[in-house]
Amino acid sequence: MRRPGTGAADSAGHGAPAAARGRRFAAVRLRGLRTRLVVAFALVAVLTAASTGALTFREARTGVLQQSQDTVIKLLRTQVGRLAPDLGLPPDEARLRRFASDVARAEPSGSWRVLASYGGLGATSVPGDHFEELTPALREAVGSRLATVFQRVNRGDRTSLVVGMPVTLAVPGLSASGVQIFLAVPQTTERAYIDALVTAVERAALPALALAVVLALLAARGVLRPVRALRSATRSIAEGRLDTRLTVEGSDELADLSHTFNETASALEASVSELRDMEARARRFAADVSHELRTPLAAMSAVTDVLDEEAAHLNPDTATAVRLISEETVKLARLVDDLMEISRFDAGAAVVHLDEIDLTESLERTLAARAWTDLIDRELPRPGTLRGNVDPRRLDVIVANLVGNALRHGARPVRLRLYAEADGGRRVAVIEVLDSGPGIPDSVLPHVFERFYKSDAARTRTEGSGLGLAITAENIRVHGGTVHAGNRPGGGAVFTVRIPLPDEPAGEPARGDAS
């Protein structure tokens, strides 16, 4: 991406706080995006580890228990098949006890507990063993079928495998002996295996989570790099550096976004350049036309002055035509002068000659030069009490345009006020022009300082050039001041001008004396 150039000093100065807020906001958003990516990867890792661990645990648990169960049943069948021929029928309690003990000894660790029953008789391998793990459902299942039946029973924190089977004999015509054998095997070893598996899964989840966070940070870095570049380029475009472009890398969605940004920036640069060229041509045209009109207008003005002097000796119709031509020539000359003035503002060629003057005396001279002294009510400080560093000619234009506008479009009495006040930690001179007319419609207020704006579309001709208030606003702007148009609560329009005063006032300002 090309490095953008340095913007204008005034633009940079005014935009610095907004740019700083934008950087802080963007940084928060970027941190939020990075956080969301890390959290998303972490959640995926946790869910993956949890689901994988759960599936692994279930399959491993089923495998361990199934293998233990198959081993126990196989060993029990083998032992019962070996000892059954020596049982003898019908067995008594002593034989049943000996049979149960012999079957229990098949497991070397001695963890088997065996119950042998025949009819109403029953004996266990462990004297006094009540064989509480045996459920009625299991006993009924063994009695109703010639098959091995098993069940896992939980009693507190202990799990046992209970196996039941009928004892059969290899005797022709007699397969069922009526003897039932039940075995209870504690699954302590299997439980230990399962607990160890759970611990292993938990330990494996932590490295998986850490790896996911690392991968998320790497992914976030790769995603946020082009996002940061796009953010910087967008800010550069907003600051007016339209030649800013992004470097397109890769062929993913972010690369497409960068390519689209470049195309948009190119189109915007071309459009703005074309608009600037058109605006420059329009300004040159207005300036050239105004300049070319000044010479013939000067000759026309000289001729009309002569004709005005002779109008009294002409017939009435000719005199009326002469006066009309003279008036229109004066309006045209004023329009050309205003066009020249506004062209200088547009071209940045307006020169301000500042001088420290008495503001009260300057306003009085403006009124006297136009014979408005008796038409305007004034609230001005005493001469010598309020001085300002302004361009006298431009201040004259400002006051003359505002007072003339009040006289033409408002109603008398028109009041001119001047005073000083504090505004945002600095002293300003405030000039107010108030009239007693109908005021300015709300729909017109935002446009009163626009060039050639007419509040009444049907009114095609005006007494002025349509540029007076626009020129007033430009003259105030070059002084670093502001102007505001509004309506008075009691009726009538009010125009308020604020122009900065020197830091060290020459005299103590007063609110004004009526004169």
Side-chain angles (χ1 to χ4, degrees):
M1 184 175 64
R2 293 198 293 269
R3 293 181 61 85
T6 304
D10 58 346
S11 175
H14 292 295
R21 288 194 298 269
R23 285 193 293 270
R24 289 196 296 270
F25 178 73
V28 171
R29 292 296 302 271
L30 287 176
R31 285 199 297 270
L33 180 57
R34 180 184 292 108
T35 302
R36 288 195 294 270
L37 285 173
V38 171
V39 170
F41 272 77
L43 288 176
V44 170
V46 169
L47 292 176
T48 302
S51 58
T52 303
L55 292 175
T56 303
F57 171 77
R58 187 181 68 177
E59 294 298 325
R61 179 178 180 274
T62 302
V64 169
L65 295 178
Q66 185 68 41
Q67 182 179 4
S68 173
Q69 169 190 306
D70 294 344
T71 301
V72 169
I73 293 176
K74 181 179 180 181
L75 184 57
L76 177 62
R77 285 175 176 173
T78 301
Q79 187 72 347
V80 170
R82 186 177 63 83
L83 298 175
D86 300 331
L87 178 60
L89 294 177
D92 54 16
E93 186 175 350
R95 288 182 179 181
L96 289 175
R97 183 176 297 108
R98 185 171 58 252
F99 181 69
S101 299
D102 291 341
V103 171
R105 281 194 290 271
E107 211 288 314
S109 64
S111 60
W112 281 16
R113 293 165 40 239
V114 179
L115 167 65
S117 66
Y118 178 78
L121 297 178
T124 60
S125 59
V126 178
D129 189 353
H130 298 291
F131 228 85
E132 296 177 352
E133 294 88 351
L134 182 59
T135 62
L138 183 63
R139 186 185 292 273
E140 181 181 355
V142 172
S144 62
R145 67 187 74 173
L146 297 176
T148 302
V149 181
F150 63 89
Q151 182 181 23
R152 292 187 184 89
V153 180
N154 295 320
R155 297 183 65 84
D157 58 349
R158 297 177 57 188
T159 301
S160 300
L161 175 64
V162 181
V163 182
M165 58 183 296
V167 178
T168 58
L169 300 174
V171 178
L174 182 62
S175 59
S177 64
V179 178
Q180 297 175 347
I181 195 79
F182 298 94
L183 169 66
V185 181
Q187 295 191 307
T188 306
T189 303
E190 291 78 3
R191 181 66 177 270
Y193 288 156
I194 294 172
D195 291 343
L197 182 61
V198 172
T199 302
V201 171
E202 292 176 349
R203 290 177 178 176
L206 294 178
L209 180 59
L211 179 60
V213 171
V214 172
L215 292 176
L217 291 174
L218 293 176
R221 181 180 179 183
V223 171
L224 295 181
R225 186 186 300 112
V227 172
R228 291 192 188 98
L230 179 61
R231 178 198 62 188
S232 177
T234 303
R235 183 182 300 118
S236 180
I237 290 288
E239 292 174 353
R241 296 186 284 270
L242 301 181
D243 60 342
T244 303
R245 299 293 184 271
L246 289 172
T247 300
V248 180
E249 298 178 352
S251 58
D252 55 6
E253 289 80 359
L254 291 174
D256 291 341
L257 179 61
S258 299
H259 183 69
T260 303
F261 174 86
N262 290 341
E263 291 180 343
T264 304
S266 298
L268 179 62
E269 184 180 17
S271 299
V272 171
S273 178
E274 182 179 358
L275 289 174
R276 288 173 176 171
D277 290 342
M278 293 173 61
E279 183 180 10
R281 288 195 297 270
R283 290 175 178 175
R284 285 196 300 270
F285 174 77
D288 293 343
V289 169
S290 301
H291 181 74
E292 293 298 327
L293 286 175
R294 296 189 73 176
T295 300
L297 274 175
M300 292 173 61
S301 297
V303 172
T304 55
D305 289 341
V306 174
L307 292 176
D308 285 339
E309 295 176 357
E310 299 295 330
H313 306 290
L314 300 176
N315 64 67
D317 292 338
T318 304
T320 301
V322 166
R323 292 189 182 96
L324 178 61
I325 292 173
S326 178
E327 292 173 359
E328 294 301 321
T329 301
V330 170
K331 291 180 182 179
L332 182 58
R334 185 183 300 121
L335 174 60
V336 170
D337 289 340
D338 288 345
L339 284 173
M340 290 292 294
E341 183 72 5
I342 207 73
S343 298
R344 282 191 287 269
F345 283 119
D346 289 341
V351 179
V352 180
H353 299 285
L354 298 178
D355 189 14
E356 186 176 340
I357 62 173
D358 187 297
L359 298 181
T360 298
E361 293 181 353
S362 177
L363 268 60
E364 290 283 9
R365 283 194 298 270
T366 298
L367 298 180
R370 292 161 179 82
W372 289 343
T373 302
D374 296 334
L375 302 178
I376 306 300
D377 298 335
R378 304 179 302 285
E379 295 182 14
L380 307 176
R382 292 187 303 273
T385 59
L386 183 57
R387 302 181 66 83
N389 198 28
V390 298
D391 185 327
R393 184 186 71 82
R394 296 187 184 279
L395 180 61
D396 177 77
V397 171
I398 293 171
V399 176
N401 281 343
L402 292 179
V403 173
N405 183 76
L407 291 173
R408 286 192 301 271
H409 302 293
R412 297 178 62 186
V414 175
R415 187 186 314 149
L416 175 63
R417 301 179 64 198
L418 170 66
Y419 57 89
E421 68 177 13
D423 183 11
R426 64 175 182 174
R427 295 177 69 252
V428 295
V430 182
I431 302 172
E432 289 183 345
V433 177
L434 309 91
D435 66 54
S436 303
I440 305 173
D442 293 337
S443 60
V444 177
L445 274 174
H447 309 286
V448 292
F449 296 106
E450 294 180 4
R451 303 172 186 182
F452 302 110
Y453 178 78
K454 294 182 176 64
S455 59
D456 186 359
R459 184 166 54 89
T460 58
R461 290 180 56 84
T462 61
E463 185 176 343
S465 65
L467 293 172
L469 291 180
I471 292 174
T472 299
E474 292 292 342
N475 278 312
I476 296 170
R477 183 185 62 81
V478 297
H479 282 89
T482 61
V483 60
H484 173 74
N487 290 311
R488 302 165 58 194
V494 54
F495 286 81
T496 304
V497 177
R498 286 179 169 84
I499 297 177
L501 290 173
D503 293 336
E504 295 295 333
E508 193 67 28
R511 287 292 295 184
D513 299 328
S515 58

